Amino acid sequence: MAAVAARFGRGLVGWLRFAWTTLTSMRTALILLAVLGIAAVPGSLLPQRPTNPVGVSDFLRAHPDYGPWLDRLGFFDVFGSAWFAAIYLLLFISLIGCILPRTATFLRELRALPSAPPGGLSRLPGFTTGVRDTSSSAVLDAAEAHLRARRYRIRRDAESVSAERGYLREAGNLLFHICLVAMLVGLAWGSLFGFKGTAIVVEGQAFSNTLSQYDDFGAGAGFGPSQLSPFTVRLDSFDVAFETGPVQTGAAREFNAHVTVSRPGQADSQQSLQVNSPLQVGGEQVSLLGHGYAPVVTVKDGNGDVVFSGPVVFLPQDANFRSDGVIKAPDARPERLAFQGVFLPTAMSGGAGGMISAFPDALNPELLLNIWSGPPKEETGAPENVYSLDTTGLTQVTKDGSPVSVGLQIGTGYKLPDGKGSITFDGWKRWTKLQVSNTPGGWLVLGSVMLAVLGMSISLTVKPRRLFVRVSSAAAGGPDGSDAPAPAEPVGGPEEASTHAGGGGTRVFVAGLDRAEGRGGLTDEVAALASACGIGVTLTPTDNEEQQ
Amino acid sequence: VIAYYSSLAMVTSAVLYLLAMAAHAAEWASARSAKVAEPELAAVGAGAPVGAPGPAPAEASAGAAPGPRTEVFGRAGLAITVIAALTHIAGVVLRGVAAGRAPWGNMYEFITTSLAIAVIAYLVLAIRFRMRWLGLPVTLLLTIGQGLAVTVFYVAVAALMPSLRSVWFVVHIIAAATAGAAFNIGGIAAILYLVRSRAEERGRVQGYLARIPSATTLDRVSYRFHAFAFPLWTFTIAAGAIWAQAAWGRFWNWDPKETWSLVTWIIYAVYLHARATAGWKGRRAAVVAIVGLASFWFNFIGINLLVSGLHSYAGI
């Protein structure tokens, strides 16, 4: 604690400074990144409420001991939980805290010249030295020309040339991290001001883009119903093809919804809506999410009046589209009627004495019904689930003491006992589940992801390198290129040193340094620079070098 | 009929990879018995400084005067791998011809394509860059991968589901397969690095280990493959997200496969950062890379078998 106080100051400000420094350190960012990865794992292995609510309730039933605890801790909605949000928000704050100073440093570096050669050039990974009989400025001129041709940034001092290349690496690195933040902003924007809703539309029917027409609808806090652009999508027909061959029999092969789009002030347009080609209507995207069957029935009541006629949406229960649904005729008199139905597109007897659907297409459609009746109910106006039957106040219709269960083929009907009415199975239609969505920040997400990939590729391929040339009078300069007075004995000095000793020659030191790993060829480049300076090459290869 | 020849070619290539692996195993075994004692390697073993003079290590190991039998086995392994790769590629191409589309519609097709890319990459490295030392682990990977593909994951040719019919399908899958191949070779190099650096520390570099490059080189090779694969993997995820936006009106659905792609991405991001952080270089970073590879494989196979999600398609 005392150390913290000494370094960051006392009191709240000191603590805040300490917290900020800790949060924005690379180590903390690494740990947060790792924690984020670990935290995502349960979200992929446990059933999640937003995508699989049935799986969650099954899990809770199977594990009454620890299931509720997991639920309380948010393990069934990991990606919406506070702790998951806390991790990635901390990570992004840490990221921003890292980007800002690095950007500032980088901009300063861009404006400044490369730094002067360090002392002790011989300790750098690439180093060579030699003596040239021309003047030192001629050597430096040659070096400068050589480096300029290779697009180095150059700093020329009286006795040295420093060059640096590969600034794009840090630029790419910063671009990548900035784009990550921009992407998150785009995603947040999208979920704040966007919306997404689904609606089931039967062939021949239309969907108008108003809130009341959605079956389910979710929107961000910044969304207002006036954002829904006015349009109508009419489903003219829906083509489906299934695999009939021996391999993957019954797998979907073709979905094609023929729709008519109407917008105020515009002519109707007929379009084709497919799984991978959604419609863009106004600012909204209309996608095709699913499909199913809607048997068409006509119900007459005890008085002989038609009380229901048309398609009823049934929800598919298995891959072969065995579908469940409810037909309600609350206005039937003297008794109201209701039917619990199972639609089998390709009916076959099978299983435990029951009927199954053997294929997803409607090759042999059959409608199985249980029938309920009861005294008329007062209209309350309370919303009712159209897919399930509340049997309060209803009794199952029986004949000879056992419940009636009928199976209808297309064109057939059934007369209810005791003159309660009748039902006929007239045919079937397909329905599609359409999703209408609007993601406002989409272009920002898209653009920043593309730039992020670009920035990352640059930062992983560009290898910054520094090269140095230092000259001194052949008699004076230290063998390692430092400005320190030369020791009496040139350590490992090449022969030229002695041959030119005392002469008017120039001792040239050439050295290089890679600022990122994973690159070969430093030795080659130092050698090329050395020969441009006119000195022979006596290289010290290092283990770090590999000629490939 | 074409599909039959495709399967035949795949099975043949799996068997040939097994033979190639046996040849490489014999190569290492004979290198061990030959008890090579080159001065350069002995020097490394004795803890000589990294900058010790001598030829570059890749050259050193490639030219490390192996026994004649060692060389014969090594060449045989490479030759068999070339033949196996040709039948393998033929199998992939014929599969595409038989299906009348890009052969990436299910796990069997994806795994065979990804391995074909891996073997091409390996052959280029082995022949052009003298990296035949990758032979044993790579043929081991290919044998296991192709073996699993033809026995466990095989499904007959079928048309694509409507949800897979998109330009993004080609882009997304080819990026994933290429990134996968590079991650695997990078991971192999990371494993070899761990083994070799341990041996160097103990001063016992002999037999098999004497034939592979120094730990420093292995580390760099591993890094290069990861540095190549990581942007591709990022692109794979991004392309998938864009496709999801087009097909489902949403960039990200937290589908299990998406989640594990992100987890894999995060692990490799940790690896790249760790290499640049003091105290995490070398051994620890290599372990992170191997964990990343494990996560990649789990995402690839485990997720399809364990949980169902948006990436569940007919025939696994």
Side-chain angles (χ1 to χ4, degrees):
Chain A
M1 296 302 111
V4 171
R7 208 171 138 206
F8 298 98
R10 286 183 191 285
L12 184 65
V13 177
W15 277 108
L16 283 176
R17 210 178 289 157
F18 169 70
W20 178 252
T21 311
T22 311
L23 182 62
T24 57
S25 78
M26 178 72 131
R27 231 178 49 145
T28 313
L30 263 183
I31 291 168
L32 282 170
L33 196 57
V35 169
L36 184 70
I38 294 164
V41 171
S44 71
L45 299 180
L46 290 172
Q48 297 292 295
R49 220 167 245 129
T51 50
N52 186 6
V54 181
V56 174
S57 43
D58 286 351
F59 187 93
L60 286 174
R61 215 169 304 124
H63 306 280
D65 36 1
Y66 63 91
W69 279 103
L70 289 180
D71 198 10
R72 243 162 273 168
L73 293 173
F75 274 89
F76 297 114
D77 186 9
V78 167
F79 306 112
S81 70
W83 51 269
F84 193 78
I87 297 168
Y88 71 74
L89 286 178
L90 276 177
L91 180 64
F92 273 87
I93 293 172
S94 165
L95 187 60
I96 292 167
C98 196
I99 292 172
L100 290 179
R102 277 185 80 153
T103 309
T105 311
F106 179 61
L107 291 178
R108 257 200 312 278
E109 248 177 54
L110 270 188
R111 281 199 305 269
L113 288 170
S115 53
L121 285 184
S122 66
R123 284 197 295 273
L124 296 184
F127 173 71
T128 185
T129 180
V131 172
R132 184 81 197 278
D133 48 10
T134 53
S135 73
S136 63
S137 66
V139 170
L140 291 182
D141 285 345
E144 200 180 328
H146 174 87
L147 291 167
R148 254 188 224 299
R150 276 159 187 74
R151 305 169 62 93
Y152 276 84
R153 294 189 69 214
I154 289 166
R155 169 200 185 114
R156 171 86 181 257
D157 292 325
E159 295 206 312
S160 65
V161 169
S162 319
E164 184 160 359
R165 186 185 68 186
Y167 288 80
L168 268 180
R169 179 194 182 81
E170 181 69 358
N173 190 13
L174 289 170
L175 177 68
F176 168 70
H177 287 97
I178 291 169
C179 283
L180 274 191
V181 177
M183 184 198 75
L184 192 78
V185 170
L187 287 176
W189 185 2
S191 64
L192 202 61
F193 295 103
F195 72 88
K196 194 171 75 158
T198 59
I200 284 178
V201 184
V202 180
E203 283 176 304
Q205 296 183 353
F207 164 81
S208 295
N209 193 23
T210 52
L211 272 185
S212 59
Q213 293 244 321
Y214 283 101
D215 296 330
D216 74 281
F217 188 83
F223 169 84
S226 60
Q227 272 174 257
L228 294 175
S229 66
F231 67 82
T232 302
V233 173
R234 191 188 133 87
L235 181 66
D236 301 323
S237 64
F238 182 58
D239 300 339
V240 193
F242 297 97
E243 178 67 57
T244 49
V247 178
Q248 293 182 15
T249 309
R253 289 291 173 248
E254 189 70 56
F255 295 129
N256 194 353
H258 303 282
V259 297
T260 305
V261 180
S262 323
R263 297 177 65 191
Q266 287 187 21
D268 291 2
S269 67
Q270 296 195 333
Q271 300 189 31
S272 151
L273 170 60
Q274 295 177 34
V275 176
N276 270 310
S277 57
L279 299 178
Q280 301 293 340
V281 187
E284 271 114 279
Q285 177 173 318
V286 182
S287 336
L288 177 62
L289 285 198
H291 69 110
Y293 289 97
V296 180
V297 295
T298 303
V299 179
K300 287 183 180 171
D301 66 4
N303 302 335
D305 298 327
V306 173
V307 285
F308 181 87
S309 179
V312 184
V313 170
F314 276 38
L315 299 180
Q317 305 296 315
D318 65 19
N320 284 327
F321 284 80
R322 172 200 163 94
S323 308
D324 288 356
V326 175
I327 304 157
K328 295 177 186 178
D331 301 328
R333 297 294 178 271
E335 288 201 308
R336 66 186 165 115
L337 300 172
F339 306 83
Q340 271 178 329
V342 174
F343 178 79
L344 305 168
T346 300
M348 262 177 66
S349 55
M355 299 285 283
I356 59 155
S357 173
F359 192 74
D361 210 349
L363 302 179
N364 177 33
E366 189 164 335
L367 182 63
L368 312 177
L369 296 170
N370 287 324
I371 308 170
W372 299 72
S373 69
K377 203 167 87 176
E378 208 181 313
E379 286 284 340
T380 58
E384 255 186 83
N385 187 336
V386 293
Y387 302 114
S388 68
L389 182 62
D390 177 10
T391 54
T392 347
L394 293 172
T395 49
Q396 195 165 3
V397 172
T398 57
K399 192 177 186 183
D400 307 328
S402 60
V404 169
S405 180
V406 290
L408 300 177
Q409 274 84 39
I410 290 181
T412 64
Y414 178 75
K415 251 191 176 42
L416 274 61
D418 311 325
K420 284 177 175 167
S422 67
I423 181 166
T424 53
F425 178 29
D426 306 325
W428 52 269
K429 287 186 168 179
R430 297 189 195 276
W431 55 258
T432 57
K433 190 175 185 182
L434 301 184
Q435 176 182 272
V436 181
S437 60
N438 186 2
T439 323
W443 58 272
L444 182 58
V445 176
L446 213 69
S448 47
V449 163
M450 287 299 162
L451 284 177
V453 174
L454 177 74
M456 176 199 288
S457 308
I458 290 173
S459 79
L460 287 172
T461 41
V462 173
K463 310 289 182 191
R465 172 167 290 169
R466 283 180 175 175
L467 291 176
F468 305 104
V469 176
R470 191 200 290 282
V471 291
S472 63
S473 132
D480 62 349
S482 71
D483 290 326
E489 197 83 14
V491 182
E495 290 72 32
E496 294 101 294
S498 46
T499 52
H500 290 275
T506 305
R507 176 156 279 279
V508 184
F509 307 95
V510 179
L513 164 71
D514 275 342
R515 297 186 71 195
E517 54 188 338
R519 182 194 173 101
L522 176 65
T523 323
D524 284 345
E525 200 153 351
V526 170
L529 179 57
S531 67
C533 295
I535 58 170
V537 180
T538 51
L539 281 178
T540 317
T542 64
D543 189 45
N544 217 19
E545 282 305 307
E546 182 184 355
Q547 269 81 55
Q548 284 197 351
Chain B
V1 182
I2 300 173
Y4 168 76
Y5 284 116
S6 163
S7 316
L8 188 68
M10 296 286 195
V11 175
T12 311
S13 72
V15 174
L16 287 174
Y17 285 136
L18 184 65
L19 284 176
M21 188 181 78
H24 282 300
E27 178 191 7
W28 298 128
S30 67
R32 176 167 289 251
S33 59
K35 284 225 185 300
V36 278
E38 297 106 53
E40 194 263 341
L41 292 165
V44 172
V50 201
E59 313 235 339
S61 58
R69 277 206 329 203
T70 308
E71 190 59 28
V72 167
F73 281 131
R75 287 203 179 154
L78 190 61
I80 299 171
T81 312
V82 170
I83 299 167
L86 290 177
T87 52
H88 183 168
I89 294 163
V92 172
V93 171
L94 287 178
R95 175 85 182 186
V97 172
R101 58 176 166 78
W104 310 315
N106 50 51
M107 207 149 138
Y108 168 75
E109 295 174 359
F110 182 82
I111 199 169
T112 50
T113 304
S114 189
L115 289 174
I117 294 174
V119 75
I120 293 169
Y122 158 68
L123 287 177
V124 169
L125 293 172
I127 296 168
R128 180 96 178 68
F129 296 108
R130 287 190 282 182
M131 282 164 73
R132 208 178 69 205
W133 48 269
L134 278 169
L136 182 60
V138 167
T139 48
L140 175 68
L141 173 78
L142 290 167
T143 308
I144 295 173
Q146 276 294 80
L148 280 178
V150 295
T151 52
V152 181
F153 299 124
Y154 178 78
V155 286
V157 171
L160 275 186
M161 301 168 68
S163 58
L164 290 183
R165 261 177 252 148
S166 165
V167 191
W168 289 107
F169 170 67
V170 178
V171 175
H172 181 61
I173 305 286
I174 198 73
T178 313
F183 277 140
N184 273 289
I185 296 181
I188 286 173
I191 294 169
L192 289 180
Y193 161 78
L194 284 183
V195 177
R196 168 90 188 199
S197 72
R198 169 144 305 199
E200 281 179 11
E201 229 160 64
R202 291 188 182 161
R204 282 208 313 257
V205 183
Q206 43 188 314
Y208 177 106
L209 293 176
R211 304 262 303 151
I212 63 177
S214 71
T216 322
T217 308
L218 285 172
D219 189 40
R220 190 167 60 244
V221 167
S222 170
Y223 170 74
R224 281 185 184 169
F225 275 97
H226 285 113
F228 170 75
F230 189 66
L232 257 182
W233 185 243
T234 314
F235 177 74
T236 304
I237 297 176
I242 295 165
W243 186 9
Q245 170 71 17
W248 301 310
R250 233 185 139 166
F251 283 111
W252 196 259
N253 295 286
W254 290 112
D255 162 69
K257 179 121 339 202
E258 284 173 4
T259 307
W260 275 89
S261 302
L262 180 68
V263 169
T264 308
W265 186 88
I266 287 175
I267 296 171
Y268 281 119
V270 169
Y271 164 77
L272 290 178
H273 283 97
R275 287 186 62 92
T277 310
W280 276 82
K281 266 185 193 140
R283 209 72 71 73
R284 284 200 203 177
V287 170
V288 174
I290 293 162
V291 172
L293 189 59
S295 157
F296 179 87
W297 278 97
F298 179 74
N299 186 26
F300 178 33
I301 294 177
I303 284 295
N304 290 48
L305 302 181
L306 283 181
V307 279
S308 77
L310 296 170
H311 282 79
S312 313
Y313 301 115
I316 327 185

